[in-house]
Amino acid sequence: METLYDVQQLLKQFGVYIYVGKRIYDIELIQMEVRNLYDSRLIDRDTYMTAWRILKREHRIEESREENK
């Protein structure tokens, strides 16, 4: 996994589709769902950590975009 799209594809494997309409909110909900998958032991620690790093990076990017508006 390297992109937000890859994390979304991971969620899709479990039947989880997220689209709120605002990218930063989508990322926050995806973070919650990834955490739930990890807590339920449906994904391993490495997958969880990789997804978490991607989501944190994307969240920072979105925050900086909003600050620059």
Side-chain angles (χ1 to χ4, degrees), residues 56-69:
K56 292 301 267 184
R57 181 187 69 217
E58 293 295 325
H59 196 273
R60 278 192 304 268
I61 291 168
E62 285 304 309
E63 282 180 329
S64 68
R65 283 184 187 161
E66 288 191 9
E67 287 174 4
N68 293 331
K69 284 187 180 181

Side-chain angles (χ1 to χ4, degrees), residues 21-62:
K22 191 167 183 182
R23 186 175 166 99
I24 197 161
Y25 298 152
D26 290 344
I27 293 167
E28 290 171 1
L29 282 174
I30 291 169
Q31 286 175 323
M32 288 184 231
E33 288 298 330
V34 168
R35 179 66 189 195
N36 287 338
L37 289 174
Y38 177 68
D39 288 345
S40 300
R41 297 191 176 141
L42 296 172
I43 59 174
D44 63 10
R45 181 168 164 67
D46 290 337
T47 303
Y48 170 71
M49 293 306 293
T50 301
W52 194 253
R53 279 190 289 274
I54 292 167
L55 292 167
K56 292 301 267 184
R57 181 187 69 217
E58 293 295 325
H59 196 273
R60 278 192 304 268
I61 291 168
E62 285 304 309

Side-chain angles (χ1 to χ4, degrees), residues 3-15:
T3 65
L4 180 60
Y5 178 78
D6 295 335
V7 178
Q8 290 173 311
Q9 293 306 304
L10 171 68
L11 292 180
K12 193 174 175 182
Q13 292 175 5
F14 296 96

